[in-house]
Amino acid sequence: SLRAMASPPLEEHVFLVESFELIQQFGKQFQDKLCGVDMCVVQEHGCQHSCVSTPGSFHCECNPGYRLNADGKTCSPIDMCADGRHGCQHQCVSARGSYSCRCRPGYYLNQDKRSCTMIDYCSFGNHSCQHECVSIPNGHYCRCRSGFTLQPDSRSCRATDLCNGVDHGCEFKCVSTDGSYHCVCPEGQQLQADGKACS
C-alpha cells in the first residue's frame, strides 16, 4: 500500500483522499505495535529492583529506601541517618530503607521513638543510701544532707559536727573533734568517769 501511494505519477497517488486515510491507519497500527508493548517484558531490562514500561521504552526504579545509581539500573541503600532529619535525640541507626533511634547507656527510648529519658536508678529501691540517692546516666550515687559527711562505704552519712548529730548526753558541753566528740565541764568542775557528768 505504501509503495502504491509513493509510485509515479505521485500527483495521482499521494494526494488522494484514500491515501491520507490509509496513512492514518498505518500510523495507528504502528502506534499500537510500538507503544502498546510492555518493553520490560519484550527485552532484557537489567533493572536490579523493578522495571517500569513507558511508550516505546522503559526505565528502572528502586524499592523504598534505595536510590537509583548513575548506571540507571542498580540501586544503593539510602542512609536515612546521614541527612540529619531523623529527629533522634541521641543516636540514629540506619536499617535497610529505614532507621531507628537508640539512646546512650543509662537512658531509655520514650514512646515517641525519638527522645530519651535518663533511667532513674534510685527508683529501683535497692540503692541503700542512708540519706539521698542521686541518679546519673550509668547508675547512682549517695549524697548526705547538709551538716553530714559521706562515709567511705559511699552509703552512710555521719554528722560533720557530731555534737549536733548524735545524742551525746554531755551534762554541760559537747566538743566535736574529727570523727568523734567529747564532753567538757565548766571551770571548777571535773568530768566524771562516765565521760558525761560533771562534779
Side-chain angles (χ1 to χ4, degrees):
S1 297
L2 284 172
R3 276 197 198 105
M5 280 192 296
S7 64
L10 295 178
E11 55 278 350
E12 289 181 18
H13 297 152
V14 175
F15 297 107
L16 296 175
V17 174
E18 306 92 52
S19 299
F20 284 110
E21 286 176 6
L22 207 59
I23 290 171
Q24 201 171 20
Q25 287 177 6
F26 280 131
K28 185 173 180 347
Q29 286 180 357
F30 289 145
Q31 192 172 20
D32 289 346
K33 293 281 186 209
L34 293 175
C35 301
V37 173
D38 185 347
M39 299 300 281
C40 291
V41 174
V42 169
Q43 63 187 54
E44 180 58 42
H45 53 76
C47 297
Q48 184 180 0
H49 287 183
S50 60
C51 176
V52 178
S53 232
T54 56
S57 186
F58 70 91
H59 68 271
C60 298
E61 285 187 356
C62 296
N63 295 337
Y66 291 81
R67 78 166 60 84
L68 194 63
N69 293 328
D71 63 8
K73 294 183 182 289
T74 59
C75 301
S76 296
I78 297 170
D79 184 353
M80 303 291 277
C81 294
D83 66 4
R85 293 182 295 170
H86 48 77
C88 297
Q89 184 179 355
H90 286 182
Q91 299 167 343
C92 178
V93 181
S94 282
R96 182 185 271 177
S98 184
Y99 71 92
S100 62
C101 297
R102 190 185 314 165
C103 297
R104 293 190 298 267
Y107 292 81
Y108 64 87
L109 194 62
N110 293 324
Q111 285 185 338
D112 65 6
K113 301 294 184 198
R114 282 178 164 64
S115 62
C116 301
T117 300
M118 189 172 72
I119 296 169
D120 184 6
Y121 290 98
C122 294
S123 68
F124 299 153
N126 61 351
H127 52 77
S128 65
C129 296
Q130 185 179 353
H131 284 184
E132 297 171 10
C133 176
V134 179
S135 278
I136 55 175
N138 291 321
H140 72 282
Y141 68 90
C142 296
R143 183 170 61 194
C144 297
R145 292 189 293 271
S146 179
F148 292 83
T149 306
L150 190 65
Q151 297 304 294
D153 66 2
S154 298
R155 286 181 164 72
S156 56
C157 300
R158 185 175 66 208
T160 307
D161 181 359
L162 288 177
C163 292
N164 289 333
V166 296
D167 183 16
H168 53 76
C170 295
E171 184 181 322
F172 177 68
K173 186 176 180 184
C174 175
V175 177
S176 285
T177 57
D178 188 28
S180 186
Y181 69 91
H182 64 274
C183 299
V184 292
C185 294
E187 200 173 315
Q189 291 191 21
Q190 190 173 14
L191 193 61
Q192 295 299 304
D194 66 1
K196 298 183 180 193
C198 299
S199 63

